[in-house]
């Protein structure tokens, strides 16, 4: 099991940047995949970015070239650097850890991008 705590959300103007952090309660070195998802009002939760043990990353088309996911095992933390933010990036962002067969979620952090 693992507990996840997100931080770093907030209100930012379009074109601005934010960095989200996800602190894990245990070592993330052996966690198969960690990722960030988001959910806007009325929408389903969607994958934003994920990163595997070997550092392989995957991004939603809508955030490629703008967002960067990274995992620092020594800090038990996963980051999501978000640049060139757009109003459509407004959502609650959730950290996720895949430890088969279970998925673990944080409580979410709100990101609001004003136009």
């Amino acid at each position: 099991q693992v507990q996840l705590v997100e931080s770093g959300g907030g209100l930012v103007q379009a074109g601005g940047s934010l960095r989200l952090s996800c602190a894990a309660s245990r070592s993330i070195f052996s966690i198969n995949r960690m990722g960030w998802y988001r959910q806007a009002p009325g929408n389903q939760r969607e994958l934003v970015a994920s990163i595997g043990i070997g550092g392989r990353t995957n991004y939603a088309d809508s955030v490629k070239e703008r967002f960067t996911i990274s995992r620092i095992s020594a800090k038990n933390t996963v980051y999501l650097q978000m640049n060139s933010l757009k109003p459509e990036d407004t959502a609650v962002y959730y950290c996720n850890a895949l430890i088969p067969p279970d998925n673990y979620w944080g409580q979410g952090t709100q990101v609001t991008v004003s136009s």
Side-chain angles (χ1 to χ4, degrees):
Q1 291 187 344
V2 62
Q3 283 77 48
L4 305 170
V5 179
E6 302 99 333
S7 61
L11 173 64
V12 64
Q13 289 188 331
S17 298
L18 284 174
R19 188 179 77 159
L20 305 183
S21 299
C22 171
S25 61
R26 47 152 279 190
S27 171
I28 65 172
F29 181 79
S30 61
I31 294 180
N32 291 51
R33 187 191 74 187
M34 297 199 68
W36 288 94
Y37 287 71
R38 67 186 181 188
Q39 188 168 18
N43 290 357
Q44 291 187 331
R45 192 172 296 189
E46 62 177 1
L47 175 67
V48 176
S50 65
I51 184 166
I53 289 179
R56 182 172 182 175
T57 57
N58 181 48
Y59 294 93
D61 287 343
S62 60
V63 307
K64 284 180 180 177
E65 309 300 329
R66 299 189 298 122
F67 291 10
T68 302
I69 188 171
S70 59
R71 60 192 285 171
I72 309 297
S73 295
K75 295 185 176 182
N76 296 337
T77 302
V78 176
Y79 300 98
L80 184 68
Q81 178 66 45
M82 306 186 294
N83 298 328
S84 302
L85 283 160
K86 304 176 181 180
E88 51 263 44
D89 294 318
T90 295
V92 178
Y93 284 70
Y94 296 91
C95 182
N96 170 267
L98 173 62
I99 305 174
D102 299 313
N103 271 296
Y104 296 88
W105 298 93
Q107 82 287 351
T109 186
Q110 176 71 46
V111 172
T112 303
V113 184
S114 63
S115 57

